């Protein structure tokens, strides 16, 4: 199966469009702001989840892999997209979920159950072992011949898919922004923009100073010292992963009213709140061309 055939089979719509926006933010008058609408790729396999899973799924299909194991929280966009894909491709999925939602499953987990996913709830200490070599070896022993995909789908398989975001662009940008959770999308964008003038900024959606930088660096090629066009902004995580407040939720509603683009308080809401703040702080030079990548995934909104 080719990448194109896999996309057709799953109903993927690429390339995703790029839309200009002009919300009523102070200081926006002399800036050109656009959004790469990866949220429109597919209603379930949304945004960067398709980009990061594309080539792993292609390998699974072409090697006739019967089982995939992966990780996520109770509102994981990654597990939601992966669960749907596995159901469509007739591949078994084991989802290792942080926390016990058995008595009150989230809408995302209810979908996984309907897609015949084997859901395993683990405590926080066990979940923290998800990158530990011994833990992964034991997990592989328990699930022989399974493909084990890291949390968020962020691994080397993801890089090629993410770089295709940049190859789809028709305009060169001065700044490219996106939310950062597990680092895969940011690493792919950094790699793909080395021959451009773009400065890349990730907006951290969790408390992870230095930790997130390390995740991204580990995904970049070995000559990563030459990759100097990026940074992570840690000022807008609102207290941690999936943490929010009334201000952020109100902003998401107002943004939708002004642009007719849906965002949520876990990932995309924090991205656009940070962008608004940076615009109002006059962070960007006059006449800058700015691209915000809407990485899709609205599972966070289903928790509200």
């Amino acid at each position: 199966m080719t990448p194109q055939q896999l996309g057709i089979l799953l109903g993927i719509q690429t390339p995703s469009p790029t839309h200009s926006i002009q919300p009523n933010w102070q200081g926006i008058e002399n800036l050109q702001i656009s959004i790469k609408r990866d949220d429109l790729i597919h209603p379930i396999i949304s945004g960067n989840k398709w980009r990061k899973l594309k080539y792993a799924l292609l390998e699974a299909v072409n090697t006739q892999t019967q089982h995939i194991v992966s990780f996520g929280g109770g509102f994981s966009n990654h597990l939601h997209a992966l669960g749907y894909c596995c159901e469509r491709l007739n591949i078994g999925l084991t989802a290792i979920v942080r926390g016990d939602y058995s008595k009150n499953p989230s809408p995302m987990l209810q979908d996984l159950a309907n897609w015949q996913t084997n859901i395993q709830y683990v405590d926080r200490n066990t979940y923290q072992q998800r990158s530990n070599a011994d833990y992964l070896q034991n997990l592989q022993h328990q699930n022989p011949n399974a493909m084990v995909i890291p949390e968020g789908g962020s691994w080397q398989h993801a890089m090629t898919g993410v770089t295709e975001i940049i190859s789809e662009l028709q305009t060169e940008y001065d700044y490219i922004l996106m939310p950062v959770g597990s680092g895969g999308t940011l690493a792919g964008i950094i790699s793909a923009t080395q021959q451009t003038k773009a400065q890349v900024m990730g907006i951290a959606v969790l408390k992870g100073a230095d930790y997130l930088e390390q995740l991204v660096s580990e995904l970049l090629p070995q000559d990563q010292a030459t990759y100097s066009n990026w940074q992570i902004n840690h000022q807008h995580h609102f207290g941690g992963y999936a943490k929010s407040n009334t201000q952020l939720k109100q902003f998401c509603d107002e943004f939708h009213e002004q642009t007719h683009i849906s965002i949520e308080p876990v990932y995309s809401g924090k991205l656009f709140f940070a962008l608004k703040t940076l615009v109002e702080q006059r962070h960007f030079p006059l006449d800058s061309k700015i691209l915000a990548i809407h990485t899709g995934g609205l599972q966070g909104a289903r928790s509200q």
Side-chain angles (χ1 to χ4, degrees):
M1 182 178 290
T2 67
Q4 293 76 15
Q5 289 170 332
L6 178 64
I8 292 170
L9 177 62
L10 293 172
I12 301 298
Q13 299 291 321
T14 53
S16 61
T18 301
H19 295 159
S20 296
I21 62 167
Q22 198 75 19
N24 60 350
W25 300 343
Q26 294 180 5
I28 202 173
E29 300 80 15
N30 297 302
L31 301 172
Q32 298 180 45
I33 299 182
S34 301
I35 302 180
K36 177 66 167 166
R37 297 293 307 277
D38 264 21
D39 57 309
L40 299 180
I41 286 176
H42 189 277
I44 296 175
I45 320 166
S46 182
N48 65 344
K49 302 313 169 189
W50 166 246
R51 305 286 189 181
K52 292 196 287 186
L53 288 171
K54 177 179 179 179
Y55 290 98
L57 291 172
L58 186 66
E59 179 180 317
V61 170
N62 287 336
T63 60
Q64 298 184 337
T65 297
Q66 299 296 308
H67 191 194
I68 290 175
V69 179
S70 196
F71 311 83
F75 299 90
S76 169
N77 293 300
H78 162 68
L79 288 181
H80 196 245
L82 182 58
Y84 176 84
C85 290
C86 286
E87 195 273 338
R88 288 291 309 275
L89 298 172
N90 198 31
I91 297 173
L93 173 63
T94 294
I96 299 177
V97 177
R98 181 184 64 250
D100 188 351
Y101 293 82
S102 57
K103 294 182 179 179
N104 187 28
S106 66
M108 187 281 291
L109 291 168
Q110 293 175 40
D111 285 343
L112 289 189
N114 290 335
W115 295 329
Q116 312 306 313
T117 299
N118 173 28
I119 301 172
Q120 295 184 5
Y121 298 115
V122 299
D123 59 31
R124 186 173 299 273
N125 289 336
T126 302
Y127 193 81
Q128 288 177 342
Q129 300 300 309
R130 64 193 180 279
S131 300
N132 178 276
D134 290 338
Y135 173 80
L136 290 173
Q137 184 177 16
N138 184 53
L139 189 64
Q140 193 76 69
H141 180 73
Q142 295 173 19
N143 300 277
N145 303 316
M147 175 184 286
V148 180
I149 298 179
E151 179 185 52
S154 291
W155 59 339
Q156 291 303 321
H157 276 292
M159 297 290 284
T160 302
V162 171
T163 60
E164 292 173 357
I165 296 174
I166 300 301
S167 65
E168 291 176 6
L169 299 176
Q170 303 298 312
T171 300
E172 192 165 328
Y173 293 90
D174 300 301
Y175 297 90
I176 300 177
L177 286 78
M178 73 222 69
V180 183
S182 56
T185 301
L186 179 57
I189 297 300
I190 294 167
S191 179
T193 54
Q194 291 308 296
Q195 304 304 316
T196 75
K197 63 181 180 180
Q199 292 294 308
V200 180
M201 179 185 292
I203 306 301
V205 303
L206 49 83
K207 289 182 179 179
D210 297 329
Y211 164 74
L212 285 176
E213 279 82 357
Q214 180 181 349
L215 286 180
V216 173
S217 296
E218 289 173 352
L219 288 167
L220 290 172
Q222 293 300 310
D223 59 345
Q224 61 182 266
T226 64
Y227 292 73
S228 59
N229 67 324
W230 66 282
Q231 62 176 299
I232 298 179
N233 180 302
H234 292 277
Q235 307 305 312
H236 301 93
H237 54 63
F238 284 83
Y241 180 70
K243 301 286 187 181
S244 65
N245 59 21
T246 301
Q247 181 187 25
L248 179 58
K249 294 174 183 177
Q250 182 177 345
F251 169 79
C252 291
D253 292 338
E254 292 174 351
F255 185 85
H256 181 259
E257 290 175 4
Q258 294 178 28
T259 65
H260 305 292
I261 297 172
S262 296
I263 58 176
E264 43 69 47
V266 178
Y267 290 97
S268 52
K270 292 179 180 180
L271 164 67
F272 289 106
F273 188 94
L275 177 57
K276 176 179 183 289
T277 302
L278 292 168
V279 166
E280 293 179 344
Q281 292 174 345
R282 307 300 197 271
H283 175 84
F284 304 105
L286 296 180
D287 299 320
S288 293
K289 293 182 179 179
I290 303 165
L291 179 70
I293 300 177
H294 192 322
T295 53
L298 295 175
Q299 293 308 306
R302 297 175 76 187
S303 66
Q304 306 303 310

